Amino acid sequence: MTRRPLGARRRRLVLELPVDEPDGFGGRLRRYVAGPVLWGSLEALGAAAARGGRSDRPGLYRVGLRYRPGVTPAMRLADGARRFAIRAADDPDGRRRDLVCEVEEVIEEAAP
């Protein structure tokens, strides 16, 4: 991966941290709380397949951030109203300068 200029990271993202709570039936409910604000770049990896005006597959993206330890697939990234589930996070050259995350857009269905 080639290093991008610092100005390429102009998208304001919020790292959302998971909080698990008991649901009262022996299971758990997961919600997310806003964590730190990060600046990054967002690059589409593939177009979602559309059928009949509906997207059957969420979009896949690559997010470039400044290195931050502890980012895991349990977390999400928020860009305004859009949410992205982190699928993988990697330090591409091992020098702790950049963090590259492969993310999938979370499409929440509206309640009836």
Side-chain angles (χ1 to χ4, degrees), residues 8-10 16 31 35 44 52-53 76-77 87 92-93 95 98:
R9 295 180 184 161
R10 61 180 89 192
E16 293 185 336
R31 66 182 178 91
R76 296 193 313 190
L77 290 168
R87 297 295 176 225
D93 60 5
R95 297 175 71 186
D98 298 313

Side-chain angles (χ1 to χ4, degrees), residues 50-67:
R51 289 186 190 156
R54 183 178 156 207
S55 176
D56 291 331
R57 204 174 95 209
L60 301 174
Y61 298 88
R62 179 177 294 130
V63 176
L65 304 167
R66 188 173 183 191
Y67 181 79

Side-chain angles (χ1 to χ4, degrees), residues 12-21 30-38 68 74-80 82-83:
R12 184 179 185 269
L13 303 166
V14 176
L15 185 64
E16 293 185 336
L17 311 170
V19 176
D20 291 329
E21 299 171 340
R30 176 167 280 179
R31 66 182 178 91
Y32 291 88
V33 294
V37 173
L38 308 171
R68 175 178 201 84
M75 300 174 182
R76 296 193 313 190
L77 290 168
D79 179 16
R82 297 171 75 187
R83 299 290 182 266

Side-chain angles (χ1 to χ4, degrees), residues 1-2 4 8-9 11 13 39-47 58-65 77 79 82 84-92 98-105:
M1 179 176 156
T2 10
R4 292 182 163 193
R9 295 180 184 161
R11 192 172 291 267
L13 303 166
W39 292 93
S41 61
L42 184 67
E43 172 188 352
L45 292 179
L60 301 174
Y61 298 88
R62 179 177 294 130
V63 176
L65 304 167
L77 290 168
D79 179 16
R82 297 171 75 187
F84 299 95
I86 298 174
R87 297 295 176 225
D90 186 37
D91 178 9
D98 298 313
L99 183 67
V100 176
C101 299
E102 298 215 358
V103 299
E104 182 177 331
E105 188 165 7

